[in-house]
Amino acid sequence: MVLQFAVEMLRVVSWNINGIRSPLQGMVYEEPSNCAAMAVERILDKLDADIVCLQETKVTRDVLTEPLAIIEGYNSYFSFSRNRSGYSGVATFCKDSATPMAAEEGLSGLLATHNGDVGCYGNVDEFTQEELRALDSEGRALLTQHKIRTWEGKEKTLTLINVYCPHADAGKPERLSFKMRFYRLLQIRAEALLAAGSHVIILGDLNTAHRPIDHWDAVNLECFEEDPGRKWMDGLLSNLGCQAGAHVRPFIDSYRCFQPKQEGAFTCWSAVSGARHLNYGSRLDYVLGDRTLVIDTFQDSFRLPEVMGSDHCPVGAVLSVSSVPAKQCPPLCTRFLPEFAGTQLKIRRFLVRLKQDPVCKQSALRLSKQTQVQMHQNKARVRSTRPRPSQAGSSRGQKNLTSFFQPSSNCPQASPILELPSVGALMTPKTLEEEVMAKVVEGQANASEAKDEKEVRTSFWKSVLGGPLPMPLCGGHREPCVMRTVKKPGPNLGRHFYMCARPQGPPTDPSSRCNFFLWSRPS
């Protein structure tokens, strides 16, 4: 007879947040100092997960603030880009009930501090030290290791690898090589952890749509199946779904395990073209679990497309295991950073008024009294040495200020000024009605003059500044276009052009953007 223990479900969520501070924009609070903490806390509450993995945080350690890093009820871990500011970066927020027993930044082990690290790096002899350092320098991987308890009461180890895989730019072939080397290092580390007896979940933005069903326009993409990233995923993921069978590949795409034929299950859309409105995107975000873990414990795998704030939507999974929290957080936890732990002195510390000792206070008062007495003596000494002014009545004495305003005896007396009657007194007095009519007529005249003057100024500036030309109409819908600017390097860099303003969508959908294009004339 097998004893079954009551276990709580473990819920994990991953989200490419496209800047951890971007969902905070436009949110106004009465207390600006607390707005960041309130917004991040709202995000975590909305996702309602035990472990939240964020990608593309776009913060470095020098700009990370305490309200963003330390949220009540959670312990957080960050990996920063070491080359560029406002670029890449991942973060993991764990509830206190799911505190990890180890945490580590990077995949290679070069960033490990050998205190509270995860370990198990595998054989990385195929990489040079410079290559490993470069792969971990962009803050793209963060590992947390947890103790979990199954329904049978067995305690096991679960390692979460939070990753933000590189994007392969068609114009930069070296980035494709960087991406594939990152994939290779990720697979080596994940398989080494599996070999050491730990369950493994890889979750985050893998930046590759695996199957044609995961991309809106896979049919029109040339050599879709031959993409190196898709071939790598073919070698990593089992295509057996949740069915038990021969061990072929170590990991399973949990979403396709539960929704193998779900079309339009996208997680990323172009924000510039408004493609999310028509669900014209691709599935780049995954929760990958090792075969045994997915088959035995995964209860659900889901997307949250209704959650806005980024060009990606959150994805997640629910496991029928409970977390066994560690007694204390690993050293990588942000609350142990010197700037947040209180061990680093801040300038505010030197501006705080300190309480004085009574003895020191009395001596300070005594010294202050002695100083005041000495100042009075010095003033009296200065007064005694000054020469006294001559007595009143002296011809060379100082004159009074009023003496300059008295009439001079040498000037002849002016004749009295005659007061002339005002013009109003000579005119016939008006009645009250006439005064009101006069004011009305005068007001209308002033208003007419002001209106004429405003029209003159407006017509003048219109003749000088012609204003923007009306937008041309697109050919497909006869609607005003939108102006865009070429940002791709080349001969047309910086040029403006017009295109259909509707959101991007399937060509067969008449409500989507038409293919209208028109160069703007140089002004």
Side-chain angles (χ1 to χ4, degrees), residues 209-240:
H210 185 207
R211 300 292 187 193
I213 195 175
D214 299 323
H215 197 283
W216 57 267
D217 199 21
V219 178
N220 296 324
L221 290 180
E222 187 177 354
C223 303
F224 182 88
E225 300 287 350
E226 300 301 318
D227 180 80
R230 295 183 179 93
K231 285 189 172 182
W232 173 80
M233 294 188 73
D234 288 340
L236 181 72
L237 300 178
S238 171
N239 57 3
L240 300 177

Side-chain angles (χ1 to χ4, degrees), residues 358-374:
V359 177
C360 296
K361 190 173 182 179
Q362 290 180 2
S363 61
L365 290 174
R366 193 179 303 111
L367 180 61
S368 176
K369 290 181 180 178
Q370 292 177 359
T371 305
Q372 291 179 1
V373 171
Q374 188 175 1

Side-chain angles (χ1 to χ4, degrees), residues 18-94:
N18 193 21
I20 196 171
R21 293 175 292 181
S22 60
L24 315 182
Q25 296 175 2
M27 303 178 74
V28 181
Y29 300 97
E30 295 182 0
E31 299 182 11
S33 61
N34 294 331
C35 67
M38 293 175 63
V40 174
E41 190 173 355
R42 285 185 180 183
I43 292 172
L44 297 177
D45 289 343
K46 191 169 187 178
L47 297 178
D48 189 27
D50 300 288
I51 303 173
V52 177
C53 297
L54 304 178
Q55 300 88 42
E56 205 171 357
T57 57
K58 295 184 179 180
V59 292
T60 48
R61 181 169 173 177
D62 58 325
V63 298
L64 182 66
T65 59
E66 188 170 344
L68 283 174
I70 301 178
I71 305 297
E72 185 177 357
Y74 291 83
N75 47 90
S76 61
Y77 309 85
F78 279 75
S79 179
F80 311 101
S81 172
R82 286 159 169 78
N83 297 332
R84 293 169 55 183
S85 179
Y87 175 74
S88 189
V90 293
T92 300
F93 287 81
C94 304

Side-chain angles (χ1 to χ4, degrees), residues 35-271:
C35 67
M38 293 175 63
V40 174
E41 190 173 355
R42 285 185 180 183
I43 292 172
L44 297 177
D45 289 343
K46 191 169 187 178
L47 297 178
D48 189 27
D50 300 288
I51 303 173
V52 177
C53 297
L54 304 178
Q55 300 88 42
E56 205 171 357
T57 57
K58 295 184 179 180
V59 292
T60 48
R61 181 169 173 177
D62 58 325
V63 298
L64 182 66
T65 59
E66 188 170 344
L68 283 174
I70 301 178
I71 305 297
E72 185 177 357
Y74 291 83
N75 47 90
S76 61
Y77 309 85
F78 279 75
S79 179
F80 311 101
S81 172
R82 286 159 169 78
N83 297 332
R84 293 169 55 183
S85 179
Y87 175 74
S88 189
V90 293
T92 300
F93 287 81
C94 304
K95 281 186 177 180
D96 291 340
S97 58
T99 300
M101 58 183 181
E104 184 180 332
E105 185 182 3
L107 297 172
S108 66
L110 296 181
L111 303 179
T113 59
H114 307 293
N115 183 15
D117 296 325
V118 175
C120 303
Y121 305 104
N123 186 359
V124 293
D125 292 342
E126 61 185 89
F127 298 88
T128 64
Q129 291 293 306
E130 291 76 13
E131 193 175 10
L132 291 174
R133 193 173 293 106
L135 291 171
D136 274 345
S137 65
E138 295 186 356
R140 294 185 175 274
L142 188 63
L143 286 75
T144 55
Q145 196 167 66
H146 307 257
K147 278 288 185 184
I148 58 173
R149 182 180 290 115
T150 65
W151 62 273
E152 298 172 343
K154 296 180 180 179
E155 289 191 0
K156 298 184 178 181
T157 303
L158 171 64
T159 304
L160 270 71
I161 307 180
N162 177 8
V163 291
Y164 172 46
C165 296
H167 170 69
D169 192 343
K172 298 179 180 179
E174 68 277 5
R175 291 303 291 178
L176 176 59
S177 175
F178 185 86
K179 176 179 181 177
M180 298 311 300
R181 296 300 279 170
F182 185 89
Y183 278 159
R184 177 60 182 157
L185 184 60
L186 172 61
Q187 184 172 356
I188 291 175
R189 186 69 186 274
E191 292 178 350
L193 288 164
L194 281 175
S198 172
H199 288 296
V200 178
I201 293 178
I202 302 173
L203 70 168
D205 180 2
L206 298 187
N207 252 319
T208 296
H210 185 207
R211 300 292 187 193
I213 195 175
D214 299 323
H215 197 283
W216 57 267
D217 199 21
V219 178
N220 296 324
L221 290 180
E222 187 177 354
C223 303
F224 182 88
E225 300 287 350
E226 300 301 318
D227 180 80
R230 295 183 179 93
K231 285 189 172 182
W232 173 80
M233 294 188 73
D234 288 340
L236 181 72
L237 300 178
S238 171
N239 57 3
L240 300 177
C242 286
Q243 301 297 324
H247 176 77
V248 179
R249 300 176 184 94
F251 288 90
I252 290 178
D253 180 355
S254 65
Y255 185 80
R256 287 305 174 197
C257 175
F258 291 93
Q259 305 289 341
K261 297 182 180 180
Q262 179 66 48
E263 296 183 355
F266 305 137
T267 65
C268 179
W269 306 265
S270 172

Side-chain angles (χ1 to χ4, degrees), residues 131-449:
E131 193 175 10
L132 291 174
R133 193 173 293 106
L135 291 171
D136 274 345
S137 65
E138 295 186 356
R140 294 185 175 274
L142 188 63
L143 286 75
T144 55
Q145 196 167 66
H146 307 257
K147 278 288 185 184
I148 58 173
R149 182 180 290 115
T150 65
W151 62 273
E152 298 172 343
K154 296 180 180 179
E155 289 191 0
K156 298 184 178 181
T157 303
L158 171 64
T159 304
L160 270 71
I161 307 180
N162 177 8
V163 291
Y164 172 46
C165 296
H167 170 69
D169 192 343
K172 298 179 180 179
E174 68 277 5
R175 291 303 291 178
L176 176 59
S177 175
F178 185 86
K179 176 179 181 177
M180 298 311 300
R181 296 300 279 170
F182 185 89
Y183 278 159
R184 177 60 182 157
L185 184 60
L186 172 61
Q187 184 172 356
I188 291 175
R189 186 69 186 274
E191 292 178 350
L193 288 164
L194 281 175
S198 172
H199 288 296
V200 178
I201 293 178
I202 302 173
L203 70 168
D205 180 2
L206 298 187
N207 252 319
T208 296
H210 185 207
R211 300 292 187 193
I213 195 175
D214 299 323
H215 197 283
W216 57 267
D217 199 21
V219 178
N220 296 324
L221 290 180
E222 187 177 354
C223 303
F224 182 88
E225 300 287 350
E226 300 301 318
D227 180 80
R230 295 183 179 93
K231 285 189 172 182
W232 173 80
M233 294 188 73
D234 288 340
L236 181 72
L237 300 178
S238 171
N239 57 3
L240 300 177
C242 286
Q243 301 297 324
H247 176 77
V248 179
R249 300 176 184 94
F251 288 90
I252 290 178
D253 180 355
S254 65
Y255 185 80
R256 287 305 174 197
C257 175
F258 291 93
Q259 305 289 341
K261 297 182 180 180
Q262 179 66 48
E263 296 183 355
F266 305 137
T267 65
C268 179
W269 306 265
S270 172
V272 177
S273 62
R276 191 168 188 170
H277 179 70
L278 297 176
N279 194 28
Y280 203 55
S282 55
R283 193 168 74 97
L284 306 181
D285 305 86
Y286 300 83
V287 179
L288 312 178
D290 66 82
R291 286 179 55 88
T292 305
L293 184 70
V294 173
I295 294 173
D296 292 345
T297 67
F298 271 56
Q299 300 299 306
D300 188 20
S301 187
F302 55 86
R303 302 177 306 123
L304 299 174
E306 69 278 3
V307 177
M308 309 301 288
S310 171
D311 55 346
H312 291 247
C313 77
V315 298
V318 178
L319 290 71
S320 60
V321 299
S322 59
S323 177
V324 181
K327 294 182 179 179
Q328 61 181 9
C329 300
L332 189 64
C333 183
T334 51
R335 67 179 59 169
F336 296 139
L337 294 178
E339 55 266 37
F340 302 144
T343 57
Q344 176 177 315
L345 293 179
K346 300 180 181 180
I347 193 171
R348 193 185 301 115
R349 169 67 177 80
F350 300 97
L351 303 178
V352 176
R353 179 179 296 178
L354 300 178
K355 294 183 179 180
Q356 290 185 349
D357 188 33
V359 177
C360 296
K361 190 173 182 179
Q362 290 180 2
S363 61
L365 290 174
R366 193 179 303 111
L367 180 61
S368 176
K369 290 181 180 178
Q370 292 177 359
T371 305
Q372 291 179 1
V373 171
Q374 188 175 1
M375 289 176 62
H376 285 302
Q377 292 177 355
N378 291 339
K379 287 183 179 180
R381 192 177 299 112
V382 170
R383 288 197 197 97
S384 62
T385 57
R386 288 179 181 173
R388 294 174 178 266
S390 57
Q391 298 294 330
S394 172
S395 60
R396 301 179 67 111
Q398 183 176 356
K399 295 184 178 180
N400 195 344
L401 183 63
T402 56
S403 63
F404 294 96
F405 298 94
Q406 294 177 357
S408 174
S409 57
N410 298 329
C411 296
Q413 191 73 19
S415 58
I417 301 174
L418 297 176
E419 295 185 1
L420 298 177
S422 63
V423 179
L426 299 176
M427 296 175 62
T428 306
K430 295 182 179 180
T431 63
L432 180 61
E433 183 178 357
E434 290 177 345
E435 289 181 358
V436 172
M437 290 297 297
K439 290 181 179 179
V440 171
V441 172
E442 184 179 358
Q444 291 178 350
N446 293 338
S448 177
E449 291 178 2

